[in-house]
Amino acid sequence: MSEVEIGRGKRARRAYTFDDVAVVPSRRTRDVQEVSTSWQFDAYHLEIPVLSAPMDSVTSPDTAIAIGKAGGLGVLDLEGLWTRYEDPTQVLEEIARLSKSESTARLQEIYSAPIQNELVVERLRQIRDAGVTVAGALSPGGAQQLWRSVIDAGVDVFVIRGTTVSAEHVSANREPLNLKRFIYELDVPVVVGGAVTYTSALHLMRTGAAGVLAGYGGGASSANRRTVGISSPMATTIADIAAARRDFLDESSGRYVHVIADGSVGTSGDLVKAIACGADAVMLGTALARATEAPGRGWHWGAEARHTKLPRGERVEVGTAGSIEEILFGPSHSSKGQTNLMGALRHAMAANGYSDVKEFQRANLIVTK
């Protein structure tokens, strides 16, 4: 990867966003009817390569069920409103009414309510009773405190999601989460992230993770670049982590770790390019926050927006684009790329002659900027 000199004493690596690249059609095409969007994650066969982001504006127990029935995987934030409040309906309505100037401070207050273990169990049971795959997410700190309640509740997929999750967290004042031991002791597949470099992803794969989240998540609602100066363009991030997956496959004599793009996948074009860069699936936040059923009511925020000391995100208005069904499968009545995401993926795969998601990872890309 080329580097540029940004001054006499510093060089920087050139990296690319989704807007910087495009898929180039090959010499062969295929009928759309012959294209499959299904994929296999551990023991679970999923019809679409979509996970919902564990954000309160995106995933409630009801929307997790709806996404599961649509063939994806709904991931509930087990440190969110649904495990802090018996009925968060009024809280969600209040968040939607907040002015911009008061939203961050009020979010911090709202999320200061304690997490209730019985609600963790209840929410996961509600999803399981609907007959879909159950997935719950915790931060690394939350995983240390709540993992037993989550496992006892019968979760199928465990997600450890933070702004940056490493296999080698260093702390002088507390015992950090030992990911390798933690994953080894669980009897369910674990997805870990975010990771944004080849090396960090490779280390996470060596912990035994079944999947790695590529990216920081919360693209539209994140303020990481403004508050702490951290950013990672997603096209390069995914390609780097896909390379780590390839090398770990050789290193481990055939153990495949799934790469899930998490962040900046706001339109169908972004989703297409995420998979073409090497992702097995995408974790959707903004795209699903636009659903009429989304608990955010046209607003979107993540865990970074409620941090007690250094908020690195904000509540943003994303509006509505259609139902979950319309966003995932159409029909679409707009060219904004906000609805019929799977139709767009199928069209792109067919236009390039690929029959499934795994093949489409080999698509040709060009740099457009």
Side-chain angles (χ1 to χ4, degrees):
M1 181 68 72
S2 62
E3 290 187 341
V4 295
E5 186 176 279
I6 60 174
R8 286 180 179 268
K10 180 70 74 170
R11 296 180 66 81
R13 184 181 177 210
R14 189 182 298 277
Y16 300 97
T17 69
F18 289 138
D19 288 340
D20 296 326
V21 300
V23 179
V24 182
S26 63
R27 63 180 177 83
R28 183 176 61 181
T29 57
R30 184 181 296 273
D31 285 345
V32 173
Q33 292 80 5
E34 296 178 4
V35 167
S36 172
T37 60
S38 66
W39 65 300
Q40 187 76 23
F41 176 72
D42 203 77
Y44 304 100
H45 180 82
L46 301 171
E47 292 298 329
I48 57 175
V50 169
L51 294 79
S52 71
M55 305 164 82
D56 283 332
S57 53
V58 177
T59 310
S60 65
D62 286 339
T63 57
I65 291 168
I67 293 161
K69 290 185 174 180
L73 182 64
V75 184
L76 187 68
D77 180 5
L78 300 178
E79 296 172 80
L81 298 176
W82 302 95
T83 59
R84 297 174 191 265
Y85 295 89
E86 184 71 38
D87 182 4
T89 303
Q90 291 185 340
V91 176
L92 288 163
E93 291 174 352
E94 179 188 353
I95 292 173
R97 294 194 304 266
L98 292 173
S99 67
K100 184 175 182 179
S101 61
E102 65 181 348
S103 61
T104 298
R106 183 61 183 133
L107 281 173
Q108 291 171 319
E109 293 173 352
I110 288 171
Y111 281 92
S112 66
I115 297 170
Q116 303 176 47
N117 283 350
E118 62 272 20
L119 287 179
V120 172
V121 175
E122 181 180 332
R123 304 309 186 197
L124 293 175
R125 183 182 296 121
Q126 179 183 346
I127 299 171
R128 177 170 297 284
D129 288 347
V132 300
T133 304
V134 184
L138 292 170
S139 65
Q144 287 183 297
Q145 300 173 23
L146 298 169
W147 71 272
R148 176 56 65 186
S149 296
V150 175
I151 295 301
D152 289 346
V155 72
D156 296 317
V157 178
F158 198 109
V159 178
I160 301 175
R161 184 178 189 255
T163 303
T164 305
V165 176
S166 74
E168 298 180 11
H169 181 72
V170 177
S171 175
N173 53 37
R174 64 181 175 88
E175 180 67 25
L177 177 66
N178 185 321
L179 270 177
K180 189 169 187 177
R181 185 177 64 195
F182 181 81
I183 291 173
Y184 177 79
E185 291 176 353
L186 296 181
D187 195 28
V188 298
V190 179
V191 177
V192 183
V196 295
T197 67
Y198 169 95
T199 302
S200 64
L202 187 60
H203 286 178
L204 289 177
M205 291 173 187
R206 289 169 176 163
T207 67
V212 170
L213 298 174
Y216 290 128
S221 61
S222 173
N224 266 310
R225 186 172 182 176
R226 183 173 67 241
T227 57
V228 293
I230 294 175
S231 180
S232 184
M234 281 296 288
T236 297
T237 294
I238 295 168
D240 281 349
I241 295 177
R245 175 188 60 203
R246 177 201 61 210
D247 292 347
F248 182 70
L249 188 69
D250 292 337
E251 174 187 308
S252 62
S253 300
R255 187 170 176 274
Y256 189 91
V257 178
H258 291 86
V259 175
I260 300 165
D262 183 17
S264 301
V265 186
T267 66
S268 54
D270 296 333
L271 186 153
V272 167
K273 287 183 273 191
I275 293 177
C277 285
D280 295 287
V282 296
M283 179 168 273
L284 297 181
T286 302
L288 292 174
R290 299 190 187 108
T292 52
E293 305 98 318
R297 294 160 171 77
W299 294 88
H300 184 39
W301 66 93
E304 299 86 357
R306 68 187 194 233
H307 194 279
T308 56
K309 295 182 179 180
L310 183 63
R312 300 180 302 280
E314 56 193 351
R315 185 201 60 159
V316 295
E317 187 171 12
V318 296
T320 56
S323 65
I324 291 175
E325 176 75 16
E326 290 170 325
I327 287 172
L328 292 176
F329 304 111
S332 181
H333 304 290
S334 166
S335 60
K336 293 181 178 179
Q338 296 179 352
T339 49
N340 199 4
L341 305 187
M342 291 302 101
L345 176 60
R346 292 172 67 89
H347 178 84
M349 292 165 63
N352 286 270
Y354 295 108
S355 61
D356 58 39
V357 170
K358 178 57 62 181
E359 285 188 356
F360 191 56
Q361 293 172 346
R362 302 198 300 266
N364 294 321
L365 295 172
I366 59 169
V367 175
T368 60
K369 294 184 181 180

